């Protein structure tokens, strides 16, 4: 019997061609918008400030250093000091950079960020090779979160590598290594303890225990190096960070949405209800690791008070692991590619825009959740190279 020849589909080819043109144009917009930031320190200035203060025995979470990044709020005409608010483990790493010239350090870090991001895309494309088209890779390169991370000098690229590692290793059955990756994530960004809780209640005990042990060991290192006072200093900095941070464009947390709607406290209550509902969902869907991991990543971003644009990079495993995207995933992917510079332009034009555009990446996260309920095992890439285990 003769084998079937692939049928040329002009309509599909046209759609892919248009998508590639739009994504390429989006990348150009992002490059142009990021270029002015390359001569500035921005968030990385706060990281270098923390490292320098720690190296001299001072409080690394102070806002007094001239290197600390200050955000100008157009809606309130206030200046918001943004010191390093990452856990003490980050201070140990930043202290190692304290002797470098800040401009050299931030330039080098941006190069490292781009390399690690490219490496993450390569790993995902090799692990989930179907469908074979350049559109997904081009889409990944267009992500607003990636370019925002480059501009700010943020530390999300290593977290992305750890998230990819935790996702793939868990699917392969290498649960001990998956736990190590997830634990390292939690030590750097504690809000991903939500992902750990879902895996634990779903019965993935090896991953959960490994993540807990890893996170505790890594979190203890700063005490040995910097002293017991480092954790009270960090907690004080977190509590002193103004609530106006909830209103910064691109914050995708549920608390941010509530604050944009003028409701101060319901955001916390909604987050708690979301956590409770997610735990019930994980318990009832123990056999669906993909759904649990998807909820773990998306939920970690929604329940954290401050969930910035760069965090959306962490959704890459969710998208690459699916061979077919529902309309919710397609729309979510488009939202995550919406350039951050356009958000800054639109979000303060009206109260409606303040919610729609100011929380636009949050809408993308919600779309993933609405599309997740329809994802079945046969929609996942059947050629994942670890499926044999």
């Amino acid at each position: 019997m003769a084998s079937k020849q692939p049928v040329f589909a002009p309509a599909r080819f046209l759609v892919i061609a248009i998508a590639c043109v739009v994504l390429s144009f989006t990348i150009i917009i992002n490059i142009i918008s990021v270029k002015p930031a390359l001569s500035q320190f921005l968030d990385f200035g706060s990281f270098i400030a923390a490292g320098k203060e720690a190296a001299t025995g001072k409080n690394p979470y102070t806002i007094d250093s001239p290197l600390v990044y200050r955000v100008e709020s157009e809606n309130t005409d206030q200046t918001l000091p943004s010191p390093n608010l990452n856990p003490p483990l980050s201070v140990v790493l930043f202290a190692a950079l304290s002797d470098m010239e800040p401009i050299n350090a931030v330039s080098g870090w941006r190069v490292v960020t781009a390399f690690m991001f490219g490496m993450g895309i390569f790993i995902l494309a090799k692990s989930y090779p179907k469908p074979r088209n350049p559109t997904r890779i081009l889409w990944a390169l267009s992500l607003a979160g990636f370019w925002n991370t480059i501009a700010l000098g943020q530390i999300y690229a290593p977290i992305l590598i750890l998230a990819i590692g935790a996702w793939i290793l868990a699917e392969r059955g290498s649960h001990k290594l998956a736990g190590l990756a997830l634990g390292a994530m939690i030590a750097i960004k504690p809000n991903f303890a939500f992902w750990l809780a879902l895996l634990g209640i779903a019965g993935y005990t090896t991953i959960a225990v490994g993540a807990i042990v890893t996170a505790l060991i890594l979190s203890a290192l700063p005490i040995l190096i910097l002293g017991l006072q480092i954790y009270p200093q960090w907690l004080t900095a977190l509590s002193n960070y103004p609530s106006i941070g909830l209103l910064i464009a691109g914050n995708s947390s549920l608390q941010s949405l509530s604050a944009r709607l003028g409701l101060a406290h319901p955001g916390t209550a909604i987050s708690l209800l979301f956590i409770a509902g997610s735990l019930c969902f994980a318990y009832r869907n123990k056999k669906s690791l993909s759904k649990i991991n998807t909820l773990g990543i998306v939920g970690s971003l929604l329940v954290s008070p401050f969930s910035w644009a760069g965090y959306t990079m962490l959704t890459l495993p969710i998208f690459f692991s699916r061979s077919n995207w529902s309309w919710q995933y397609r729309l979510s992917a488009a939202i995550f590619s919406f350039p951050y510079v356009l958000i800054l332009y639109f979000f303060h034009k009206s109260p409606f825009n303040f919610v729609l555009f100011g929380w636009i990446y949050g809408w993308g996260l919600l779309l993933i959740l609405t599309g997740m309920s329809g994802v079945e095992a046969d929609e996942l890439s059947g050629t994942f190279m670890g499926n044999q285990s």
Side-chain angles (χ1 to χ4, degrees):
M1 182 176 179
S3 60
K4 292 184 178 179
Q5 297 296 323
V7 178
F8 177 71
R12 184 174 182 275
F13 177 82
L14 180 62
V15 170
I16 292 177
I18 293 174
C20 288
V21 170
V22 172
L23 291 172
S24 299
F25 184 66
T26 302
I27 292 173
I28 292 172
I29 293 176
N30 281 312
I31 291 174
I32 294 173
S33 66
V34 164
K35 190 175 180 181
L38 299 182
S39 60
Q40 304 175 51
F41 302 137
L42 303 183
D43 277 350
F44 197 83
S46 298
F47 302 155
I48 288 292
K52 288 182 176 295
E53 296 295 322
T56 57
K58 300 178 182 177
N59 180 3
Y61 293 102
T62 181
I63 63 172
D64 296 332
S65 170
L67 289 171
V68 170
Y69 180 38
R70 285 167 169 78
V71 180
E72 302 291 336
S73 173
E74 296 186 21
N75 283 63
T76 60
D77 295 323
Q78 295 185 38
T79 299
L80 176 63
S82 296
N84 171 44
L85 295 178
N86 292 299
L89 179 64
S90 70
V91 178
V92 176
L93 303 177
F94 298 145
L97 304 175
S98 60
D99 292 333
M100 295 183 64
E101 284 293 327
I103 190 62
N104 294 334
V106 70
S107 298
W109 181 248
R110 284 173 172 140
V111 172
V112 171
T113 294
F115 173 79
M116 296 184 76
F117 183 74
M119 184 172 65
I121 294 175
F122 176 79
I123 293 171
L124 287 169
K126 292 290 289 184
S127 299
Y128 304 99
K130 288 188 178 181
R132 290 186 180 276
N133 65 61
T135 313
R136 290 194 180 192
I137 294 177
L138 196 61
W139 166 74
L141 293 173
S142 76
L143 284 181
F146 165 63
W147 294 101
N148 188 248
T149 297
I150 291 288
L152 295 176
Q154 263 291 352
I155 61 171
Y156 303 135
I159 300 171
L160 170 63
I161 296 298
L162 290 170
I164 292 172
W167 182 291
I168 293 177
L169 289 167
E171 284 198 344
R172 284 185 172 183
S174 301
H175 289 180
K176 291 181 180 179
L177 293 177
L180 289 175
L182 181 56
M185 281 185 70
I186 294 170
I188 302 172
K189 293 291 183 182
N191 48 307
F192 287 98
F194 175 81
W195 189 0
L196 162 65
L198 295 183
L199 288 168
I201 201 168
Y204 294 92
T205 308
T206 302
I207 300 178
V209 172
I212 292 172
V213 172
T214 301
L216 289 176
I217 292 174
L218 291 177
S219 299
L221 290 179
I223 297 176
L224 300 176
I225 298 172
L226 301 172
L228 287 171
Q229 78 282 355
I230 188 64
Y231 274 95
Q233 290 171 342
W234 173 51
L235 295 174
T236 299
L238 286 176
S239 63
N240 289 340
Y241 191 71
S243 59
I244 189 178
L246 294 173
L247 302 179
I248 293 177
N251 189 344
S252 303
S253 71
L254 292 172
Q255 291 185 48
S256 174
L257 176 60
S258 176
R260 292 178 196 281
L261 295 171
L263 306 172
H265 301 295
T268 302
I270 293 172
S271 296
L272 293 174
L273 289 173
F274 179 86
I275 292 172
S278 298
L279 291 173
C280 291
F281 177 89
Y283 183 77
R284 293 177 179 177
N285 293 268
K286 294 181 178 181
K287 295 182 179 181
S288 182
L289 180 60
S290 177
K291 288 184 178 181
I292 293 170
N293 285 340
T294 297
L295 183 58
I297 291 176
V298 173
S300 296
L301 304 186
L302 288 172
V303 300
S304 174
F306 304 107
S307 179
W308 310 118
Y311 280 119
T312 58
M313 292 195 306
L314 303 180
T315 62
L316 281 176
I318 299 173
F319 286 96
F320 271 81
S321 64
R322 286 160 172 78
S323 58
N324 297 304
W325 291 358
S326 64
W327 69 266
Q328 294 99 326
Y329 279 82
R330 293 175 187 273
L331 182 55
S332 176
I335 287 174
F336 291 154
S337 289
F338 193 79
Y340 188 74
V341 65
L342 296 183
I343 290 178
L344 294 178
Y345 176 79
F346 286 115
F347 93 107
H348 58 81
K349 297 293 185 180
S350 68
F352 176 79
N353 281 8
F354 185 63
V355 177
L356 176 64
F357 288 101
W359 205 71
I360 191 168
Y361 302 128
W363 302 121
L365 294 174
L366 291 183
L367 280 166
I368 291 176
L369 294 184
T370 60
M372 185 182 69
S373 60
V375 174
E376 301 296 340
D378 59 355
E379 289 182 315
L380 302 179
S381 175
T383 57
F384 174 60
M385 61 184 182
N387 281 349
Q388 297 91 335
S389 59

